[in-house]
């Protein structure tokens, strides 16, 4: 997956880039359209601050990150709801649906916190980094 970006900072062999959203990216709706997306990218071409570049992330890496970000909380929510219903069958509770919803939201929230802390380690490992593959100007 390739996107155009603008180099805004350099640090060693890495560059901080601001993504220039393509039409497909703008229409996705996953991110706030008013907020700039800034990421660190490996900079083997030694792009300088102010240059327009093309960055790339491996499609398998991108899909893996998307599954962790969106899929894991969904799975945690479903598991929480199912567990709450299963436990609720043993107790005479007449409001099992709201309790199941709350437990599902709680497990989803816990999964988001876990992802947040795993993200810090992933940043250190640089597995999910983009690469600058072309300098455009």
């Amino acid at each position: 997956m390739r996107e155009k970006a603008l180099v805004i900072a350099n640090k060693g062999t890495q560059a901080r880039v601001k993504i220039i959203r393509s039409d497909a990216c703008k229409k996705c709706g996953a991110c706030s359209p008013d907020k700039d997306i800034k990421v660190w990218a490996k900079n083997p071409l030694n792009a300088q601050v102010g240059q327009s570049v093309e960055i790339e992330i491996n499609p398998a890496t991108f899909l893996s990150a998307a599954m962790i970000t969106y899929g894991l909380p969904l799975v945690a929510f479903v598991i929480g709801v199912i567990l709450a219903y299963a436990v609720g069958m043993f107790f005479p509770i007449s409001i099992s649906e709201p309790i199941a919803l709350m437990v599902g939201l709680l497990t989803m929230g816990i999964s988001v916190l876990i992802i947040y802390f795993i993200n810090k380690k992933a940043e250190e490992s640089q597995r999910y980094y983009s690469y600058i593959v072309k300098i455009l100007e």
Side-chain angles (χ1 to χ4, degrees), residues 8-61:
I8 57 174
N10 278 324
K11 185 172 92 175
T13 60
Q14 301 172 13
R16 184 84 166 160
V17 296
K18 180 172 78 170
I19 306 291
I20 300 167
R21 296 177 193 229
S22 64
D23 287 336
C25 182
K26 287 177 187 174
K27 293 177 184 173
C28 166
C31 306
S32 171
D34 301 329
K35 190 174 179 183
D36 290 334
I37 300 173
K38 297 175 185 170
V39 297
W40 285 101
K42 295 203 179 201
N43 189 5
L45 303 179
N46 199 23
Q48 300 301 312
V49 174
Q51 287 185 308
S52 292
V53 296
E54 194 169 82
I55 63 170
E56 181 176 45
I57 188 166
N58 182 337
T61 303

Side-chain angles (χ1 to χ4, degrees), residues 59-75 111 115 128:
T61 303
F62 178 75
L63 287 175
S64 169
M67 286 302 295
I68 291 168
T69 304
Y70 299 109
L72 188 61
L74 178 63
V75 169
S111 74
I115 291 168
Y128 295 100

